[in-house]
Amino acid sequence: MAQACLRCLKLVMCAANFLCFVCGISVLGLGIYLSVNFKMAALTPSMADFSVAHVLMITGIVITCVSFLGFLGALKENRCLLLTFFLMLFLLMLAELTAACLLLTHEISDLKKDLQEGMKKAQQQPKNATLTDWDLIQSTLHCCGVVNASDWGQNVPDSCCDGPCIKVNPNYYQQGCLHVLKGFFEDNFLYIGIAIIVFCIIEVLGMCFAMTLFCHISRTGLGYKL
């Protein structure tokens, strides 16, 4: 009975990590596509090296590496890979909790200042840039500028237009992106918290499964030994 349960646990770990591996490859591919085909600029100077494309690529690489270790470690009953998988999941969970705490403690005034500095840098980008993070945010969230369209001065991007962008009396979005982002986090605060908790639970389960297989292999003398 115990052997059957462990075999089932091994198959579950292999299947779950294979699905995560496929998702990681997809996210990585999307990040590479955006990086190659679009000129991306970060919203804030504090995240100058982390545009949407860069974040997607880093996320895809992390998911792919961690899931590959879990899949191969469970499939081959490799103690070294299982232990590495356990440690990487633990570090990933700590990073997620740290990021969540920083997000919750980040002052709105600091965010406004960061967005304003990021907008100044975006205005210095070449005019032939087909897409920036600002264009993506403004067209997706239906907002314009930090406070309103006047933040862009005389060079308001087309992504601020509510519908077709005309030169005479253009119909810009009335709300600034700071207000929309603040409202988004306030309205979805509960869901964001639940999502973080769910991810942490999944990671804890993955660590428990990995350690269970690791201990079983240690007791039986199977698999690769450290």
Side-chain angles (χ1 to χ4, degrees), residues 16-222:
N17 281 288
F18 178 77
L19 290 176
C20 291
F21 181 82
V22 173
C23 292
I25 291 293
S26 302
V27 173
L28 176 60
L30 178 60
I32 294 175
Y33 173 79
L34 291 177
S35 179
V36 171
N37 292 277
F38 300 105
K39 179 64 176 178
M40 308 299 287
L43 289 176
T44 63
S46 61
M47 297 182 63
D49 297 328
F50 295 96
S51 65
V52 172
H54 292 161
V55 170
L56 289 176
M57 286 191 291
I58 292 174
T59 303
I61 291 172
V62 171
I63 294 175
T64 301
C65 293
V66 174
S67 58
F68 178 77
L69 286 175
F71 174 81
L72 195 61
L75 182 66
K76 297 296 185 179
E77 295 187 355
N78 188 305
R79 292 170 56 194
C80 182
L81 291 179
L82 286 173
L83 184 59
T84 305
F85 174 71
F86 174 88
L87 293 175
M88 290 188 70
L89 272 185
F90 179 73
L91 293 176
L92 185 60
M93 185 176 66
L94 288 182
E96 290 174 359
L97 292 176
T98 302
C101 292
L102 291 175
L103 180 64
L104 294 176
T105 57
H106 193 64
E107 295 292 338
I108 295 299
S109 59
D110 295 336
L111 177 60
K112 180 179 179 180
K113 182 179 178 181
D114 256 4
L115 288 174
Q116 289 173 337
E117 292 179 2
M119 178 176 290
K120 291 179 181 178
K121 290 184 177 296
Q123 290 174 322
Q124 298 172 2
Q125 295 295 322
K127 297 300 181 182
N128 60 352
T130 56
L131 179 68
T132 66
D133 284 359
W134 273 102
D135 290 323
L136 183 62
I137 291 296
Q138 290 178 153
S139 59
T140 302
L141 299 181
H142 297 168
C143 60
C144 185
V146 179
V147 179
N148 51 47
S150 63
D151 295 329
W152 288 104
Q154 299 298 321
N155 299 315
V156 182
D158 293 344
S159 57
C160 278
C161 295
D162 186 4
C165 206
I166 57 177
K167 294 183 179 180
V168 181
N169 295 325
N171 187 22
Y172 296 136
Y173 295 119
Q174 298 299 315
Q175 290 185 324
C177 293
L178 176 65
H179 177 75
V180 175
L181 287 172
K182 180 182 177 182
F184 174 82
F185 283 111
E186 289 178 350
D187 295 340
N188 297 277
F189 181 80
L190 178 62
Y191 301 106
I192 294 174
I194 292 175
I196 294 174
I197 292 174
V198 169
F199 279 124
C200 289
I201 291 175
I202 293 174
E203 288 164 353
V204 170
L205 288 176
M207 289 189 290
C208 291
F209 290 168
M211 190 52 60
T212 301
L213 285 177
F214 179 86
C215 293
H216 168 70
I217 295 170
S218 298
R219 288 196 306 267
T220 58
L222 299 175

